[in-house]
Structures are given as C-alpha cells and as structure tokens.
PDB file of all heavy atoms in Angstrom:
ATOM      1  N   ARG V 334      41.380 -43.024  85.847  1.00  0.00           N
ATOM      2  CA  ARG V 334      40.166 -42.882  85.037  1.00  0.00           C
ATOM      3  C   ARG V 334      40.353 -43.544  83.678  1.00  0.00           C
ATOM      4  O   ARG V 334      41.302 -43.216  82.951  1.00  0.00           O
ATOM      5  CB  ARG V 334      39.843 -41.401  84.847  1.00  0.00           C
ATOM      6  CG  ARG V 334      39.492 -40.683  86.143  1.00  0.00           C
ATOM      7  CD  ARG V 334      39.311 -39.204  85.891  1.00  0.00           C
ATOM      8  NE  ARG V 334      38.764 -38.515  87.060  1.00  0.00           N
ATOM      9  CZ  ARG V 334      38.512 -37.210  87.116  1.00  0.00           C
ATOM     10  NH1 ARG V 334      38.793 -36.451  86.068  1.00  0.00           N
ATOM     11  NH2 ARG V 334      38.009 -36.677  88.201  1.00  0.00           N
ATOM     12  N   LEU V 335      39.449 -44.444  83.347  1.00  0.00           N
ATOM     13  CA  LEU V 335      39.504 -45.180  82.089  1.00  0.00           C
ATOM     14  C   LEU V 335      38.334 -44.797  81.193  1.00  0.00           C
ATOM     15  O   LEU V 335      37.173 -44.908  81.588  1.00  0.00           O
ATOM     16  CB  LEU V 335      39.451 -46.688  82.357  1.00  0.00           C
ATOM     17  CG  LEU V 335      39.343 -47.557  81.099  1.00  0.00           C
ATOM     18  CD1 LEU V 335      40.683 -47.638  80.396  1.00  0.00           C
ATOM     19  CD2 LEU V 335      38.830 -48.949  81.433  1.00  0.00           C
ATOM     20  N   GLY V 336      38.653 -44.376  79.974  1.00  0.00           N
ATOM     21  CA  GLY V 336      37.635 -44.128  78.964  1.00  0.00           C
ATOM     22  C   GLY V 336      37.690 -45.217  77.908  1.00  0.00           C
ATOM     23  O   GLY V 336      38.764 -45.518  77.385  1.00  0.00           O
ATOM     24  N   ILE V 337      36.550 -45.819  77.594  1.00  0.00           N
ATOM     25  CA  ILE V 337      36.487 -46.880  76.595  1.00  0.00           C
ATOM     26  C   ILE V 337      35.721 -46.370  75.387  1.00  0.00           C
ATOM     27  O   ILE V 337      34.591 -45.884  75.505  1.00  0.00           O
ATOM     28  CB  ILE V 337      35.809 -48.146  77.152  1.00  0.00           C
ATOM     29  CG1 ILE V 337      36.593 -48.687  78.347  1.00  0.00           C
ATOM     30  CG2 ILE V 337      35.688 -49.215  76.068  1.00  0.00           C
ATOM     31  CD1 ILE V 337      35.944 -49.883  79.013  1.00  0.00           C
ATOM     32  N   VAL V 338      36.351 -46.466  74.222  1.00  0.00           N
ATOM     33  CA  VAL V 338      35.717 -46.069  72.968  1.00  0.00           C
ATOM     34  C   VAL V 338      35.153 -47.326  72.318  1.00  0.00           C
ATOM     35  O   VAL V 338      35.877 -48.123  71.738  1.00  0.00           O
ATOM     36  CB  VAL V 338      36.726 -45.389  72.025  1.00  0.00           C
ATOM     37  CG1 VAL V 338      36.019 -44.873  70.778  1.00  0.00           C
ATOM     38  CG2 VAL V 338      37.458 -44.263  72.734  1.00  0.00           C
ATOM     39  N   GLY V 339      33.840 -47.529  72.463  1.00  0.00           N
ATOM     40  CA  GLY V 339      33.198 -48.718  71.932  1.00  0.00           C
ATOM     41  C   GLY V 339      32.933 -49.746  73.018  1.00  0.00           C
ATOM     42  O   GLY V 339      33.773 -50.597  73.293  1.00  0.00           O
ATOM     43  N   LEU V 340      31.756 -49.669  73.646  1.00  0.00           N
ATOM     44  CA  LEU V 340      31.440 -50.586  74.733  1.00  0.00           C
ATOM     45  C   LEU V 340      30.615 -51.757  74.199  1.00  0.00           C
ATOM     46  O   LEU V 340      29.475 -51.968  74.604  1.00  0.00           O
ATOM     47  CB  LEU V 340      30.695 -49.867  75.861  1.00  0.00           C
ATOM     48  CG  LEU V 340      30.683 -50.606  77.203  1.00  0.00           C
ATOM     49  CD1 LEU V 340      32.070 -50.582  77.832  1.00  0.00           C
ATOM     50  CD2 LEU V 340      29.671 -49.985  78.164  1.00  0.00           C
ATOM     51  N   GLY V 341      31.233 -52.511  73.295  1.00  0.00           N
ATOM     52  CA  GLY V 341      30.633 -53.745  72.812  1.00  0.00           C
ATOM     53  C   GLY V 341      31.082 -54.903  73.669  1.00  0.00           C
ATOM     54  O   GLY V 341      31.439 -54.741  74.845  1.00  0.00           O
ATOM     55  N   ARG V 342      31.102 -56.101  73.065  1.00  0.00           N
ATOM     56  CA  ARG V 342      31.492 -57.290  73.830  1.00  0.00           C
ATOM     57  C   ARG V 342      32.911 -57.166  74.378  1.00  0.00           C
ATOM     58  O   ARG V 342      33.170 -57.459  75.546  1.00  0.00           O
ATOM     59  CB  ARG V 342      31.369 -58.524  72.933  1.00  0.00           C
ATOM     60  CG  ARG V 342      29.939 -58.896  72.567  1.00  0.00           C
ATOM     61  CD  ARG V 342      29.916 -60.093  71.653  1.00  0.00           C
ATOM     62  NE  ARG V 342      30.484 -59.796  70.351  1.00  0.00           N
ATOM     63  CZ  ARG V 342      29.772 -59.497  69.272  1.00  0.00           C
ATOM     64  NH1 ARG V 342      28.466 -59.449  69.337  1.00  0.00           N
ATOM     65  NH2 ARG V 342      30.370 -59.256  68.120  1.00  0.00           N
ATOM     66  N   ILE V 343      33.840 -56.720  73.529  1.00  0.00           N
ATOM     67  CA  ILE V 343      35.225 -56.605  73.970  1.00  0.00           C
ATOM     68  C   ILE V 343      35.380 -55.436  74.934  1.00  0.00           C
ATOM     69  O   ILE V 343      36.092 -55.532  75.940  1.00  0.00           O
ATOM     70  CB  ILE V 343      36.159 -56.463  72.760  1.00  0.00           C
ATOM     71  CG1 ILE V 343      36.150 -57.778  71.954  1.00  0.00           C
ATOM     72  CG2 ILE V 343      37.570 -56.115  73.186  1.00  0.00           C
ATOM     73  CD1 ILE V 343      36.865 -57.699  70.623  1.00  0.00           C
ATOM     74  N   GLY V 344      34.720 -54.322  74.651  1.00  0.00           N
ATOM     75  CA  GLY V 344      34.790 -53.174  75.551  1.00  0.00           C
ATOM     76  C   GLY V 344      34.318 -53.510  76.947  1.00  0.00           C
ATOM     77  O   GLY V 344      34.909 -53.080  77.950  1.00  0.00           O
ATOM     78  N   ARG V 345      33.256 -54.303  77.037  1.00  0.00           N
ATOM     79  CA  ARG V 345      32.761 -54.700  78.359  1.00  0.00           C
ATOM     80  C   ARG V 345      33.754 -55.618  79.071  1.00  0.00           C
ATOM     81  O   ARG V 345      33.922 -55.537  80.297  1.00  0.00           O
ATOM     82  CB  ARG V 345      31.412 -55.414  78.216  1.00  0.00           C
ATOM     83  CG  ARG V 345      30.289 -54.516  77.742  1.00  0.00           C
ATOM     84  CD  ARG V 345      28.968 -55.228  77.837  1.00  0.00           C
ATOM     85  NE  ARG V 345      27.937 -54.552  77.068  1.00  0.00           N
ATOM     86  CZ  ARG V 345      26.635 -54.666  77.304  1.00  0.00           C
ATOM     87  NH1 ARG V 345      26.217 -55.427  78.296  1.00  0.00           N
ATOM     88  NH2 ARG V 345      25.762 -54.040  76.557  1.00  0.00           N
ATOM     89  N   ALA V 346      34.398 -56.496  78.307  1.00  0.00           N
ATOM     90  CA  ALA V 346      35.397 -57.384  78.919  1.00  0.00           C
ATOM     91  C   ALA V 346      36.587 -56.585  79.444  1.00  0.00           C
ATOM     92  O   ALA V 346      37.160 -56.913  80.492  1.00  0.00           O
ATOM     93  CB  ALA V 346      35.853 -58.431  77.907  1.00  0.00           C
ATOM     94  N   ILE V 347      36.955 -55.527  78.735  1.00  0.00           N
ATOM     95  CA  ILE V 347      38.030 -54.645  79.202  1.00  0.00           C
ATOM     96  C   ILE V 347      37.609 -53.927  80.483  1.00  0.00           C
ATOM     97  O   ILE V 347      38.367 -53.839  81.454  1.00  0.00           O
ATOM     98  CB  ILE V 347      38.410 -53.635  78.106  1.00  0.00           C
ATOM     99  CG1 ILE V 347      39.044 -54.360  76.918  1.00  0.00           C
ATOM    100  CG2 ILE V 347      39.358 -52.566  78.656  1.00  0.00           C
ATOM    101  CD1 ILE V 347      39.172 -53.504  75.678  1.00  0.00           C
ATOM    102  N   ALA V 348      36.379 -53.405  80.491  1.00  0.00           N
ATOM    103  CA  ALA V 348      35.882 -52.700  81.673  1.00  0.00           C
ATOM    104  C   ALA V 348      35.880 -53.614  82.892  1.00  0.00           C
ATOM    105  O   ALA V 348      36.241 -53.194  84.003  1.00  0.00           O
ATOM    106  CB  ALA V 348      34.471 -52.177  81.401  1.00  0.00           C
ATOM    107  N   LYS V 349      35.485 -54.864  82.706  1.00  0.00           N
ATOM    108  CA  LYS V 349      35.460 -55.831  83.816  1.00  0.00           C
ATOM    109  C   LYS V 349      36.847 -56.005  84.408  1.00  0.00           C
ATOM    110  O   LYS V 349      37.016 -56.054  85.638  1.00  0.00           O
ATOM    111  CB  LYS V 349      34.918 -57.160  83.305  1.00  0.00           C
ATOM    112  CG  LYS V 349      34.832 -58.252  84.350  1.00  0.00           C
ATOM    113  CD  LYS V 349      34.275 -59.525  83.738  1.00  0.00           C
ATOM    114  CE  LYS V 349      34.219 -60.650  84.759  1.00  0.00           C
ATOM    115  NZ  LYS V 349      33.695 -61.910  84.144  1.00  0.00           N
ATOM    116  N   ARG V 350      37.846 -56.082  83.559  1.00  0.00           N
ATOM    117  CA  ARG V 350      39.219 -56.248  84.048  1.00  0.00           C
ATOM    118  C   ARG V 350      39.707 -54.987  84.754  1.00  0.00           C
ATOM    119  O   ARG V 350      40.359 -55.057  85.803  1.00  0.00           O
ATOM    120  CB  ARG V 350      40.137 -56.612  82.879  1.00  0.00           C
ATOM    121  CG  ARG V 350      39.975 -58.063  82.446  1.00  0.00           C
ATOM    122  CD  ARG V 350      40.360 -58.280  80.990  1.00  0.00           C
ATOM    123  NE  ARG V 350      40.314 -59.694  80.638  1.00  0.00           N
ATOM    124  CZ  ARG V 350      39.177 -60.371  80.433  1.00  0.00           C
ATOM    125  NH1 ARG V 350      38.007 -59.755  80.543  1.00  0.00           N
ATOM    126  NH2 ARG V 350      39.207 -61.655  80.128  1.00  0.00           N
ATOM    127  N   CYS V 351      39.404 -53.835  84.175  1.00  0.00           N
ATOM    128  CA  CYS V 351      39.881 -52.585  84.765  1.00  0.00           C
ATOM    129  C   CYS V 351      39.206 -52.284  86.100  1.00  0.00           C
ATOM    130  O   CYS V 351      39.787 -51.622  86.965  1.00  0.00           O
ATOM    131  CB  CYS V 351      39.654 -51.437  83.784  1.00  0.00           C
ATOM    132  SG  CYS V 351      40.764 -51.506  82.351  1.00  0.00           S
ATOM    133  N   ALA V 352      37.986 -52.783  86.279  1.00  0.00           N
ATOM    134  CA  ALA V 352      37.312 -52.614  87.568  1.00  0.00           C
ATOM    135  C   ALA V 352      38.113 -53.283  88.678  1.00  0.00           C
ATOM    136  O   ALA V 352      38.101 -52.827  89.828  1.00  0.00           O
ATOM    137  CB  ALA V 352      35.902 -53.196  87.502  1.00  0.00           C
ATOM    138  N   GLY V 353      38.848 -54.347  88.340  1.00  0.00           N
ATOM    139  CA  GLY V 353      39.700 -55.009  89.320  1.00  0.00           C
ATOM    140  C   GLY V 353      40.873 -54.159  89.762  1.00  0.00           C
ATOM    141  O   GLY V 353      41.500 -54.452  90.787  1.00  0.00           O
ATOM    142  N   PHE V 354      41.168 -53.114  89.007  1.00  0.00           N
ATOM    143  CA  PHE V 354      42.214 -52.162  89.376  1.00  0.00           C
ATOM    144  C   PHE V 354      41.606 -50.887  89.987  1.00  0.00           C
ATOM    145  O   PHE V 354      42.276 -49.857  90.062  1.00  0.00           O
ATOM    146  CB  PHE V 354      43.058 -51.800  88.151  1.00  0.00           C
ATOM    147  CG  PHE V 354      43.998 -52.898  87.726  1.00  0.00           C
ATOM    148  CD1 PHE V 354      43.559 -53.924  86.895  1.00  0.00           C
ATOM    149  CD2 PHE V 354      45.305 -52.923  88.162  1.00  0.00           C
ATOM    150  CE1 PHE V 354      44.407 -54.937  86.501  1.00  0.00           C
ATOM    151  CE2 PHE V 354      46.167 -53.938  87.774  1.00  0.00           C
ATOM    152  CZ  PHE V 354      45.717 -54.958  86.950  1.00  0.00           C
ATOM    153  N   ASP V 355      40.347 -50.987  90.383  1.00  0.00           N
ATOM    154  CA  ASP V 355      39.641 -49.857  91.021  1.00  0.00           C
ATOM    155  C   ASP V 355      39.629 -48.616  90.129  1.00  0.00           C
ATOM    156  O   ASP V 355      39.675 -47.478  90.622  1.00  0.00           O
ATOM    157  CB  ASP V 355      40.265 -49.518  92.375  1.00  0.00           C
ATOM    158  CG  ASP V 355      40.096 -50.644  93.381  1.00  0.00           C
ATOM    159  OD1 ASP V 355      39.057 -51.327  93.325  1.00  0.00           O
ATOM    160  OD2 ASP V 355      41.023 -50.860  94.195  1.00  0.00           O
ATOM    161  N   MET V 356      39.571 -48.822  88.832  1.00  0.00           N
ATOM    162  CA  MET V 356      39.533 -47.689  87.911  1.00  0.00           C
ATOM    163  C   MET V 356      38.099 -47.169  87.775  1.00  0.00           C
ATOM    164  O   MET V 356      37.137 -47.947  87.791  1.00  0.00           O
ATOM    165  CB  MET V 356      40.074 -48.094  86.539  1.00  0.00           C
ATOM    166  CG  MET V 356      41.511 -48.586  86.565  1.00  0.00           C
ATOM    167  SD  MET V 356      42.181 -48.950  84.910  1.00  0.00           S
ATOM    168  CE  MET V 356      42.688 -47.310  84.406  1.00  0.00           C
ATOM    169  N   GLU V 357      37.961 -45.868  87.656  1.00  0.00           N
ATOM    170  CA  GLU V 357      36.665 -45.258  87.370  1.00  0.00           C
ATOM    171  C   GLU V 357      36.462 -45.329  85.855  1.00  0.00           C
ATOM    172  O   GLU V 357      37.350 -44.934  85.088  1.00  0.00           O
ATOM    173  CB  GLU V 357      36.635 -43.807  87.851  1.00  0.00           C
ATOM    174  CG  GLU V 357      35.286 -43.140  87.676  1.00  0.00           C
ATOM    175  CD  GLU V 357      35.274 -41.702  88.162  1.00  0.00           C
ATOM    176  OE1 GLU V 357      36.271 -41.277  88.795  1.00  0.00           O
ATOM    177  OE2 GLU V 357      34.277 -41.006  87.899  1.00  0.00           O
ATOM    178  N   ILE V 358      35.313 -45.811  85.424  1.00  0.00           N
ATOM    179  CA  ILE V 358      35.113 -46.140  84.012  1.00  0.00           C
ATOM    180  C   ILE V 358      33.971 -45.330  83.401  1.00  0.00           C
ATOM    181  O   ILE V 358      32.869 -45.252  83.969  1.00  0.00           O
ATOM    182  CB  ILE V 358      34.824 -47.651  83.846  1.00  0.00           C
ATOM    183  CG1 ILE V 358      35.996 -48.478  84.379  1.00  0.00           C
ATOM    184  CG2 ILE V 358      34.541 -48.003  82.384  1.00  0.00           C
ATOM    185  CD1 ILE V 358      35.691 -49.942  84.571  1.00  0.00           C
ATOM    186  N   ARG V 359      34.248 -44.751  82.264  1.00  0.00           N
ATOM    187  CA  ARG V 359      33.226 -44.128  81.428  1.00  0.00           C
ATOM    188  C   ARG V 359      33.435 -44.601  79.995  1.00  0.00           C
ATOM    189  O   ARG V 359      34.480 -45.155  79.670  1.00  0.00           O
ATOM    190  CB  ARG V 359      33.303 -42.600  81.498  1.00  0.00           C
ATOM    191  CG  ARG V 359      33.019 -42.034  82.882  1.00  0.00           C
ATOM    192  CD  ARG V 359      33.046 -40.511  82.874  1.00  0.00           C
ATOM    193  NE  ARG V 359      32.900 -39.966  84.219  1.00  0.00           N
ATOM    194  CZ  ARG V 359      32.880 -38.674  84.514  1.00  0.00           C
ATOM    195  NH1 ARG V 359      32.994 -37.773  83.533  1.00  0.00           N
ATOM    196  NH2 ARG V 359      32.743 -38.270  85.759  1.00  0.00           N
ATOM    197  N   TYR V 360      32.439 -44.367  79.140  1.00  0.00           N
ATOM    198  CA  TYR V 360      32.562 -44.859  77.769  1.00  0.00           C
ATOM    199  C   TYR V 360      31.874 -43.929  76.780  1.00  0.00           C
ATOM    200  O   TYR V 360      31.019 -43.114  77.151  1.00  0.00           O
ATOM    201  CB  TYR V 360      31.961 -46.268  77.653  1.00  0.00           C
ATOM    202  CG  TYR V 360      30.440 -46.302  77.724  1.00  0.00           C
ATOM    203  CD1 TYR V 360      29.661 -46.350  76.562  1.00  0.00           C
ATOM    204  CD2 TYR V 360      29.778 -46.280  78.948  1.00  0.00           C
ATOM    205  CE1 TYR V 360      28.274 -46.379  76.634  1.00  0.00           C
ATOM    206  CE2 TYR V 360      28.395 -46.310  79.027  1.00  0.00           C
ATOM    207  CZ  TYR V 360      27.646 -46.362  77.861  1.00  0.00           C
ATOM    208  OH  TYR V 360      26.277 -46.373  77.924  1.00  0.00           O
ATOM    209  N   HIS V 361      32.274 -44.082  75.519  1.00  0.00           N
ATOM    210  CA  HIS V 361      31.623 -43.361  74.417  1.00  0.00           C
ATOM    211  C   HIS V 361      31.204 -44.366  73.353  1.00  0.00           C
ATOM    212  O   HIS V 361      31.998 -45.213  72.937  1.00  0.00           O
ATOM    213  CB  HIS V 361      32.577 -42.329  73.804  1.00  0.00           C
ATOM    214  CG  HIS V 361      32.032 -41.688  72.567  1.00  0.00           C
ATOM    215  ND1 HIS V 361      31.063 -40.713  72.595  1.00  0.00           N
ATOM    216  CD2 HIS V 361      32.307 -41.912  71.246  1.00  0.00           C
ATOM    217  CE1 HIS V 361      30.780 -40.336  71.355  1.00  0.00           C
ATOM    218  NE2 HIS V 361      31.508 -41.061  70.520  1.00  0.00           N
ATOM    219  N   ASN V 362      29.965 -44.297  72.936  1.00  0.00           N
ATOM    220  CA  ASN V 362      29.372 -45.106  71.866  1.00  0.00           C
ATOM    221  C   ASN V 362      28.558 -44.192  70.973  1.00  0.00           C
ATOM    222  O   ASN V 362      28.354 -43.015  71.286  1.00  0.00           O
ATOM    223  CB  ASN V 362      28.421 -46.161  72.457  1.00  0.00           C
ATOM    224  CG  ASN V 362      29.054 -47.526  72.598  1.00  0.00           C
ATOM    225  OD1 ASN V 362      30.267 -47.642  72.676  1.00  0.00           O
ATOM    226  ND2 ASN V 362      28.228 -48.556  72.634  1.00  0.00           N
ATOM    227  N   ARG V 363      28.029 -44.745  69.893  1.00  0.00           N
ATOM    228  CA  ARG V 363      27.082 -43.974  69.094  1.00  0.00           C
ATOM    229  C   ARG V 363      25.843 -43.637  69.906  1.00  0.00           C
ATOM    230  O   ARG V 363      25.201 -42.619  69.697  1.00  0.00           O
ATOM    231  CB  ARG V 363      26.680 -44.770  67.851  1.00  0.00           C
ATOM    232  CG  ARG V 363      27.819 -44.954  66.863  1.00  0.00           C
ATOM    233  CD  ARG V 363      27.428 -45.889  65.758  1.00  0.00           C
ATOM    234  NE  ARG V 363      28.557 -46.186  64.889  1.00  0.00           N
ATOM    235  CZ  ARG V 363      28.579 -47.169  64.006  1.00  0.00           C
ATOM    236  NH1 ARG V 363      27.514 -47.960  63.880  1.00  0.00           N
ATOM    237  NH2 ARG V 363      29.633 -47.367  63.248  1.00  0.00           N
ATOM    238  N   ARG V 364      25.493 -44.546  70.824  1.00  0.00           N
ATOM    239  CA  ARG V 364      24.344 -44.325  71.701  1.00  0.00           C
ATOM    240  C   ARG V 364      24.613 -45.024  73.034  1.00  0.00           C
ATOM    241  O   ARG V 364      25.443 -45.932  73.098  1.00  0.00           O
ATOM    242  CB  ARG V 364      23.061 -44.865  71.058  1.00  0.00           C
ATOM    243  CG  ARG V 364      23.102 -46.332  70.765  1.00  0.00           C
ATOM    244  CD  ARG V 364      21.903 -46.777  69.941  1.00  0.00           C
ATOM    245  NE  ARG V 364      21.919 -46.175  68.627  1.00  0.00           N
ATOM    246  CZ  ARG V 364      22.581 -46.694  67.582  1.00  0.00           C
ATOM    247  NH1 ARG V 364      23.300 -47.792  67.721  1.00  0.00           N
ATOM    248  NH2 ARG V 364      22.549 -46.109  66.403  1.00  0.00           N
ATOM    249  N   PRO V 365      23.918 -44.618  74.094  1.00  0.00           N
ATOM    250  CA  PRO V 365      24.134 -45.262  75.400  1.00  0.00           C
ATOM    251  C   PRO V 365      23.793 -46.748  75.356  1.00  0.00           C
ATOM    252  O   PRO V 365      22.941 -47.195  74.582  1.00  0.00           O
ATOM    253  CB  PRO V 365      23.183 -44.507  76.335  1.00  0.00           C
ATOM    254  CG  PRO V 365      22.941 -43.196  75.656  1.00  0.00           C
ATOM    255  CD  PRO V 365      22.984 -43.473  74.188  1.00  0.00           C
ATOM    256  N   VAL V 366      24.482 -47.521  76.194  1.00  0.00           N
ATOM    257  CA  VAL V 366      24.249 -48.958  76.314  1.00  0.00           C
ATOM    258  C   VAL V 366      23.416 -49.214  77.557  1.00  0.00           C
ATOM    259  O   VAL V 366      23.715 -48.685  78.633  1.00  0.00           O
ATOM    260  CB  VAL V 366      25.588 -49.721  76.416  1.00  0.00           C
ATOM    261  CG1 VAL V 366      25.352 -51.217  76.599  1.00  0.00           C
ATOM    262  CG2 VAL V 366      26.431 -49.460  75.172  1.00  0.00           C
ATOM    263  N   ALA V 367      22.374 -50.024  77.408  1.00  0.00           N
ATOM    264  CA  ALA V 367      21.526 -50.356  78.557  1.00  0.00           C
ATOM    265  C   ALA V 367      22.247 -51.347  79.471  1.00  0.00           C
ATOM    266  O   ALA V 367      23.177 -52.027  79.055  1.00  0.00           O
ATOM    267  CB  ALA V 367      20.201 -50.950  78.070  1.00  0.00           C
ATOM    268  N   ASP V 368      21.816 -51.427  80.686  1.00  0.00           N
ATOM    269  CA  ASP V 368      22.242 -52.397  81.706  1.00  0.00           C
ATOM    270  C   ASP V 368      23.747 -52.445  81.951  1.00  0.00           C
ATOM    271  O   ASP V 368      24.309 -53.510  82.159  1.00  0.00           O
ATOM    272  CB  ASP V 368      21.693 -53.798  81.397  1.00  0.00           C
ATOM    273  CG  ASP V 368      22.299 -54.472  80.162  1.00  0.00           C
ATOM    274  OD1 ASP V 368      23.321 -53.994  79.649  1.00  0.00           O
ATOM    275  OD2 ASP V 368      21.767 -55.492  79.717  1.00  0.00           O
ATOM    276  N   VAL V 369      24.409 -51.287  81.926  1.00  0.00           N
ATOM    277  CA  VAL V 369      25.812 -51.230  82.339  1.00  0.00           C
ATOM    278  C   VAL V 369      25.946 -50.161  83.428  1.00  0.00           C
ATOM    279  O   VAL V 369      25.220 -49.167  83.412  1.00  0.00           O
ATOM    280  CB  VAL V 369      26.773 -50.902  81.164  1.00  0.00           C
ATOM    281  CG1 VAL V 369      26.740 -52.007  80.126  1.00  0.00           C
ATOM    282  CG2 VAL V 369      26.465 -49.557  80.533  1.00  0.00           C
ATOM    283  N   PRO V 370      26.867 -50.343  84.358  1.00  0.00           N
ATOM    284  CA  PRO V 370      26.992 -49.389  85.458  1.00  0.00           C
ATOM    285  C   PRO V 370      27.891 -48.197  85.145  1.00  0.00           C
ATOM    286  O   PRO V 370      28.141 -47.363  86.022  1.00  0.00           O
ATOM    287  CB  PRO V 370      27.611 -50.240  86.572  1.00  0.00           C
ATOM    288  CG  PRO V 370      28.443 -51.241  85.846  1.00  0.00           C
ATOM    289  CD  PRO V 370      27.712 -51.536  84.564  1.00  0.00           C
ATOM    290  N   TYR V 371      28.395 -48.111  83.912  1.00  0.00           N
ATOM    291  CA  TYR V 371      29.379 -47.086  83.574  1.00  0.00           C
ATOM    292  C   TYR V 371      28.692 -45.859  82.982  1.00  0.00           C
ATOM    293  O   TYR V 371      27.698 -45.974  82.258  1.00  0.00           O
ATOM    294  CB  TYR V 371      30.398 -47.644  82.581  1.00  0.00           C
ATOM    295  CG  TYR V 371      30.834 -49.042  82.903  1.00  0.00           C
ATOM    296  CD1 TYR V 371      30.598 -50.091  82.013  1.00  0.00           C
ATOM    297  CD2 TYR V 371      31.466 -49.331  84.120  1.00  0.00           C
ATOM    298  CE1 TYR V 371      30.975 -51.387  82.319  1.00  0.00           C
ATOM    299  CE2 TYR V 371      31.856 -50.627  84.425  1.00  0.00           C
ATOM    300  CZ  TYR V 371      31.597 -51.654  83.517  1.00  0.00           C
ATOM    301  OH  TYR V 371      31.955 -52.934  83.822  1.00  0.00           O
ATOM    302  N   ARG V 372      29.264 -44.710  83.247  1.00  0.00           N
ATOM    303  CA  ARG V 372      28.679 -43.460  82.752  1.00  0.00           C
ATOM    304  C   ARG V 372      28.964 -43.270  81.270  1.00  0.00           C
ATOM    305  O   ARG V 372      30.081 -43.490  80.801  1.00  0.00           O
ATOM    306  CB  ARG V 372      29.243 -42.281  83.548  1.00  0.00           C
ATOM    307  CG  ARG V 372      28.766 -40.928  83.058  1.00  0.00           C
ATOM    308  CD  ARG V 372      29.164 -39.829  84.021  1.00  0.00           C
ATOM    309  NE  ARG V 372      29.051 -38.520  83.412  1.00  0.00           N
ATOM    310  CZ  ARG V 372      29.276 -37.372  84.044  1.00  0.00           C
ATOM    311  NH1 ARG V 372      29.618 -37.399  85.327  1.00  0.00           N
ATOM    312  NH2 ARG V 372      29.169 -36.217  83.416  1.00  0.00           N
ATOM    313  N   TYR V 373      27.942 -42.853  80.542  1.00  0.00           N
ATOM    314  CA  TYR V 373      28.049 -42.597  79.102  1.00  0.00           C
ATOM    315  C   TYR V 373      28.480 -41.162  78.865  1.00  0.00           C
ATOM    316  O   TYR V 373      27.959 -40.235  79.486  1.00  0.00           O
ATOM    317  CB  TYR V 373      26.696 -42.851  78.442  1.00  0.00           C
ATOM    318  CG  TYR V 373      26.613 -42.433  76.995  1.00  0.00           C
ATOM    319  CD1 TYR V 373      27.296 -43.131  76.011  1.00  0.00           C
ATOM    320  CD2 TYR V 373      25.823 -41.341  76.615  1.00  0.00           C
ATOM    321  CE1 TYR V 373      27.208 -42.753  74.670  1.00  0.00           C
ATOM    322  CE2 TYR V 373      25.727 -40.960  75.282  1.00  0.00           C
ATOM    323  CZ  TYR V 373      26.427 -41.671  74.320  1.00  0.00           C
ATOM    324  OH  TYR V 373      26.335 -41.295  73.002  1.00  0.00           O
ATOM    325  N   GLU V 374      29.445 -40.982  77.959  1.00  0.00           N
ATOM    326  CA  GLU V 374      29.874 -39.644  77.537  1.00  0.00           C
ATOM    327  C   GLU V 374      29.479 -39.453  76.080  1.00  0.00           C
ATOM    328  O   GLU V 374      29.942 -40.190  75.206  1.00  0.00           O
ATOM    329  CB  GLU V 374      31.385 -39.487  77.692  1.00  0.00           C
ATOM    330  CG  GLU V 374      31.873 -39.394  79.125  1.00  0.00           C
ATOM    331  CD  GLU V 374      31.570 -38.038  79.755  1.00  0.00           C
ATOM    332  OE1 GLU V 374      31.186 -37.103  79.014  1.00  0.00           O
ATOM    333  OE2 GLU V 374      31.714 -37.924  80.987  1.00  0.00           O
ATOM    334  N   ALA V 375      28.615 -38.520  75.810  1.00  0.00           N
ATOM    335  CA  ALA V 375      28.140 -38.297  74.442  1.00  0.00           C
ATOM    336  C   ALA V 375      29.232 -37.754  73.545  1.00  0.00           C
ATOM    337  O   ALA V 375      29.206 -37.959  72.323  1.00  0.00           O
ATOM    338  CB  ALA V 375      26.950 -37.341  74.458  1.00  0.00           C
TER     339      ALA V 375
END
C-alpha cells in the first residue's frame, strides 16, 4: 500500500511508477484531484 502526500505533477509520476509494482495507491491533498483513479484520503 502506497500513500502519496501531494498528488501534483511529481506525485502522479510516482504513482504511475508504483502501479507497475502492483501497489494499491491512495493520496492526501488539500482537496481531491479530478480525473485520477486513486482514492483520496481527507
């Protein structure tokens, strides 16, 4: 399980790489990000 703090440009690039390792991905931002398949954690 991978948690990303800050799903900006770099955060998305990290998520893309981690998906190649079959990691389950969630993220935390100030607000949810549109058009991403990852679950937002408030």
Side-chain angles (χ1 to χ4, degrees):
R334 295 175 171 180
L335 173 76
I337 299 176
V338 185
L340 197 71
R342 291 178 293 262
I343 293 171
R345 293 189 196 203
I347 293 167
K349 180 180 178 181
R350 284 154 175 75
C351 289
F354 286 85
D355 295 326
M356 300 184 83
E357 184 180 351
I358 300 166
R359 296 183 185 180
Y360 72 97
H361 173 76
N362 262 23
R363 292 172 186 166
R364 60 189 65 86
V366 178
D368 69 13
V369 296
Y371 318 118
R372 176 170 164 177
Y373 172 70
E374 289 285 348

